[in-house]
Amino acid sequence: MSDHLDRRRADSRMLPKFEQARLVVFFSRGMSLEGWERAGLLQRELVLYRELSRHFAQITFLTYGESPDLALASELPGLEVLPNRWKLPPNLYSVLAPWLHRKTLRRAGVFKTNQINGAWCAVVAKRLFRKRLVVRCGFLWSDFTARLTASWWRRVLARFLERMVFRAADAAIVAADADRAVVIQRYDIEPGRIHVIPNYVDTTRFRPSQAVREPGRVTFVGRLEEQKNVVSLVEAMRDLPGVSLSIIGEGSLSARLERLVSEYGLNVEFLGTVPHEELPASLNQSEAFILPSHYEGNPKAVFEAMACGVPVIAARVPGIQEVLRHGETGFLCGTSPLAIRAAIRDVLANVGLRERLARQGVRFVRERLSPSRIAEQELAVMNALS
């Protein structure tokens, strides 16, 4: 954890109780509680707000969902949801929502965003109602856009909107020191306004169990898209006798991956979307976890595997190499099928290495990434604005 964040941390007894304040969370553009549920992420995403709800009179979500979001509000006692009951297109709703929900937003104490994409909605609300705004981003939207599209205007627009959001924020939260440095330099932001707070892990749910780990079983969790480099992972499974791969997740590459598995006759199973509450059981049956992505933000899937005491194999790329120490909290490798195959062999063949990775991984997550710890750090940022 950075020295900057260490200097900002306050004793939890000194943190304010926002008994009379409403925290309004602005969802990413197009996202909803129903969307979280479909992706199996609802319970994971609510963990932090269960912690924060102890310090606020009211937690309110401004979402892009419709009536199903109102029903899902019961998953977090006392949660208020402001849905898109007008069924407006996401882009239009992101601009009009502050006015449409003005009665509730006027009563807010603090605004917070989930990601940069769509955060302009919160910026408009801040200007209208003169509220404090904390912008959170798990990854830099402009960088991801540059990797995902060749469209020059989309790249320019993402950079423009990101600059506008960071400059409008009273405080911003990023997940890594590298992102903080980029934001400060790229957008000329005062360093004291940018805080590093990593992603959290539900350490009460994700923890080692007494389940017997299946020899040779490796698990992947993530979207089946180019970013995650799953095609190379499947190709790496060739010439790995005695090794099985469980793939958890869905995406546009599903059909292609299934064809490759059939063509090569590989021992690979596709489990689709697994509810968040069921993931620990799957992870605890594995001898290793693997994430061979081309790039990442601050990958929760890696931290959740570590919390379960599962040795992590991950690509030596931005977003991963900054948080894992090779041979201690994780095993880093290249992104080619050959490099991935060699890493799997090395980890599965070395019991001592696996035990060390498991032990150090659990310690890392428990010490740094528990929901209560992350909530404390977010509250300290908000407290500094009062």
Side-chain angles (χ1 to χ4, degrees):
M1 187 173 296
S2 70
D3 291 338
H4 172 77
L5 185 56
D6 285 336
R7 291 194 300 270
R8 302 287 310 181
R9 188 183 302 124
D11 188 287
S12 60
R13 292 171 297 179
M14 301 300 293
L15 293 173
K17 299 281 187 180
F18 295 89
E19 286 94 350
Q20 304 303 316
R22 180 193 304 266
L23 172 66
V24 178
V25 181
F26 291 75
F27 273 36
S28 304
R29 181 172 58 96
M31 186 49 67
S32 63
L33 288 173
E34 185 182 22
W36 279 356
E37 185 181 47
R38 284 198 306 268
L41 301 176
L42 180 62
Q43 295 306 319
R44 182 176 84 173
E45 297 297 332
L46 291 179
V47 167
L48 179 64
Y49 295 104
R50 289 194 174 94
E51 292 289 335
L52 291 176
S53 66
R54 302 174 185 175
H55 301 272
F56 286 90
Q58 178 72 61
I59 300 283
T60 299
F61 286 172
L62 192 155
T63 81
Y64 289 74
E66 299 175 15
S67 56
D69 275 20
L70 295 174
L72 289 169
S74 62
E75 295 292 331
L76 179 60
L79 174 66
E80 177 185 39
V81 174
L82 305 177
N84 179 11
R85 62 174 180 268
W86 302 269
K87 302 182 180 181
L88 297 173
N91 286 340
L92 181 59
Y93 179 67
S94 71
V95 176
L96 297 181
W99 177 252
L100 296 172
H101 296 296
R102 59 191 179 278
K103 291 183 179 179
T104 300
L105 297 181
R106 281 197 184 101
R107 301 195 300 271
V110 184
F111 291 158
K112 179 191 171 190
T113 71
N114 258 352
Q115 293 290 359
I116 295 296
N117 188 355
W120 53 84
C121 181
V123 172
V124 172
K126 169 188 166 68
R127 301 300 189 200
L128 285 174
F129 308 115
R130 301 179 183 274
K131 303 297 181 180
R132 295 167 293 173
L133 172 61
V134 176
V135 167
R136 178 199 171 274
C137 66
F139 56 86
L140 292 179
W141 183 40
S142 61
D143 288 352
F144 269 56
T145 300
R147 291 185 174 104
L148 292 173
T149 180
S151 172
W152 67 268
W153 71 266
R154 290 182 185 274
R155 296 182 180 193
V156 171
L157 181 60
R159 182 70 70 93
F160 171 79
L161 291 172
E162 192 169 77
R163 175 190 294 270
M164 180 267 290
V165 168
F166 276 121
R167 289 190 170 182
D170 296 290
I173 296 171
V174 295
D177 289 309
D179 289 341
R180 179 175 183 269
V182 168
V183 170
I184 292 170
Q185 181 178 19
R186 181 181 293 173
Y187 302 129
D188 192 26
I189 305 296
E190 180 185 347
R193 290 166 53 198
I194 312 297
H195 310 269
V196 179
I197 301 179
N199 284 325
Y200 61 88
V201 174
D202 184 355
T203 48
T204 61
R205 188 184 301 275
F206 287 85
R207 57 186 181 181
S209 75
Q210 299 301 315
V212 177
R213 302 196 186 275
E214 183 180 327
R217 179 179 176 181
V218 179
T219 295
F220 164 90
V221 179
R223 293 175 294 105
L224 305 188
E225 304 293 345
E226 293 291 345
Q227 175 204 345
K228 302 296 184 179
N229 197 28
V230 198
V231 172
S232 292
L233 173 58
V234 167
E235 291 178 345
M237 287 296 295
R238 303 173 71 179
D239 302 320
L240 280 177
V243 178
S244 63
L245 174 64
S246 297
I247 294 179
I248 296 175
E250 297 178 347
S252 63
L253 295 177
S254 296
R256 179 183 176 188
L257 294 168
E258 290 175 3
R259 285 196 300 270
L260 284 176
V261 168
S262 177
E263 178 184 345
Y264 299 149
L266 302 176
N267 189 3
V268 176
E269 62 175 347
F270 295 89
L271 300 178
T273 298
V274 172
H276 186 246
E277 54 269 27
E278 297 177 15
L279 271 179
S282 294
L283 291 170
N284 273 300
Q285 294 170 7
S286 307
E287 274 203 316
F289 172 88
I290 188 160
L291 188 68
S293 304
H294 290 299
Y295 58 92
E296 282 290 342
N298 192 240
K300 271 191 176 182
V302 164
F303 300 143
E304 288 171 348
M306 292 166 67
C308 289
V310 182
V312 167
I313 303 168
R316 188 182 285 104
V317 297
I320 293 178
Q321 61 189 6
E322 293 86 358
V323 296
L324 294 184
R325 298 184 65 178
H326 180 64
E328 296 184 24
T329 54
F331 193 91
L332 300 177
C333 66
T335 56
S336 69
L338 185 63
I340 296 169
R341 184 183 302 128
I344 293 173
R345 281 177 173 157
D346 289 347
V347 171
L348 294 184
N350 191 330
V351 176
L353 172 62
R354 293 202 306 277
E355 290 177 347
R356 182 168 67 253
L357 295 179
R359 182 173 60 253
Q360 298 281 40
V362 169
R363 179 182 302 169
F364 177 91
V365 173
R366 287 180 177 173
E367 290 180 354
R368 304 189 183 198
L369 306 178
S370 70
S372 59
R373 186 179 181 86
I374 300 305
E376 175 185 318
Q377 292 167 10
E378 288 204 2
L379 286 164
V381 170
M382 297 176 195
N383 182 40
L385 300 180
S386 60

